[in-house]
Amino acid sequence: MASILIAEDEARISGFIEKGLRSAGYATRVAPTGTEALALAQTDEFDLLILDVNLPGIDGFRVLEEIRGSGSRLPIIMLTARVELQDTVAGLEGGADDYLGKPFRFDELLARVRLRMRKDETTSLATLAHRDIVLDIRTREARVGDTRVELSAREFALAEEFIRNAGQVLSREQLLSRVWGYDFDPGSNVADVYVGYLRQKLGSDRIETVRGVGYRLT
Ligand code: CA
């Protein structure tokens, strides 16, 4: 499930946005100050930021500047009650992806959110998928269908190896050398243990045991 951060100090407005986005199938979190929005936006947990200009703490333009200054390409839609052209220009020049003047109807916001999400998906070369298993290499996020799955760094690397070689049998030695590195004891059963973890998280029938040879993603 895509996750959206809403930086807005007015509870009435953030509540309205949150309710609408949740019923449209997004996970949401509200940051009521600029300081909090900035800290959360830098965690890589969100797929999009809806950023109000008038925020206590640091204002929206400064939050935008800090986020872009750190090299993040997080899609950002700015909201503002100030409808002057200068604000729009400043927002877009500062690296916002889109802009919506208050007051707005929820469907106007949703259309922009969907557009940004699609754009992000199609420009991302960092996604690996096999059937309904999707790995986002950039955010290190894993999903099975619509469900987000928490994988440790090693489990993620192992899942990545299986998806890159889907349908092929990978021996324990291959998994050990590619995922754990060359200095691992070839007699170790750590690969088998981690295949067990992945089966628990991705589904028990996803990785087949090829007796005496290794494992294969089916
Ligand atoms: Ca505000």
Side-chain angles (χ1 to χ4, degrees):
M1 190 189 287
S3 190
I4 299 176
L5 178 61
I6 304 160
E8 168 62 79
D9 56 316
E10 283 172 72
R12 186 177 55 86
I13 298 173
S14 61
F16 157 76
I17 296 173
E18 189 162 48
K19 189 167 158 245
L21 288 176
R22 284 190 174 174
S23 63
Y26 296 103
T28 56
R29 171 132 182 212
V30 172
T33 68
T35 323
E36 207 170 313
L38 181 58
L40 285 169
Q42 289 172 332
T43 60
D44 277 354
E45 279 171 38
F46 300 95
D47 302 291
L48 185 135
L49 167 62
I50 294 172
L51 178 61
D52 186 33
V53 170
N54 292 305
L55 288 172
I58 317 172
D59 83 12
F61 289 130
R62 273 295 306 286
V63 172
L64 175 68
E65 196 184 310
E66 293 283 333
I67 291 172
R68 290 296 180 245
S70 72
S72 165
R73 291 169 56 216
L74 177 71
I76 298 174
I77 299 173
M78 307 250 344
L79 300 180
T80 183
R82 294 185 272 170
V83 290
E84 286 88 358
L85 186 63
Q86 294 97 303
D87 281 354
T88 316
V89 171
L92 295 174
E93 281 185 348
D97 297 277
D98 211 336
Y99 177 91
L100 195 57
K102 285 179 179 174
F104 55 86
R105 294 196 319 272
F106 182 73
D107 59 350
E108 294 178 288
L109 176 64
L110 185 61
R112 283 169 161 82
V113 166
R114 287 192 166 139
L115 180 69
R116 287 302 137 199
M117 292 293 195
R118 257 203 313 277
K119 229 175 182 160
D120 194 42
E121 277 167 25
T122 53
T123 55
S124 169
L125 299 170
T127 304
L128 270 182
H130 178 72
R131 294 197 181 158
D132 61 343
I133 303 172
V134 179
L135 300 182
D136 188 331
I137 306 301
R138 195 171 36 96
T139 60
R140 316 303 290 177
E141 198 178 291
R143 291 172 193 282
V144 177
D146 287 328
T147 311
R148 188 169 168 170
V149 180
E150 293 296 333
L151 297 182
S152 69
R154 198 73 81 179
E155 289 164 353
F156 193 97
L158 185 61
E160 192 179 331
E161 198 56 40
F162 273 119
I163 290 180
R164 289 190 191 279
N165 300 284
Q168 293 175 36
V169 181
L170 296 170
S171 68
R172 284 173 191 79
E173 292 70 20
Q174 281 172 320
L175 293 174
L176 284 171
S177 70
R178 293 178 192 178
V179 179
W180 279 268
Y182 62 92
D183 59 353
F184 227 88
D185 171 10
S188 165
N189 72 342
V190 70
D192 309 84
V193 172
Y194 271 78
V195 164
Y197 294 158
L198 273 190
R199 280 176 172 153
Q200 282 169 28
K201 292 184 174 182
L202 302 179
S204 56
D205 55 345
R206 304 305 175 106
I207 302 168
E208 183 183 47
T209 302
V210 181
R211 197 173 286 273
V213 187
Y215 298 101
R216 174 166 57 197
L217 183 67
T218 58

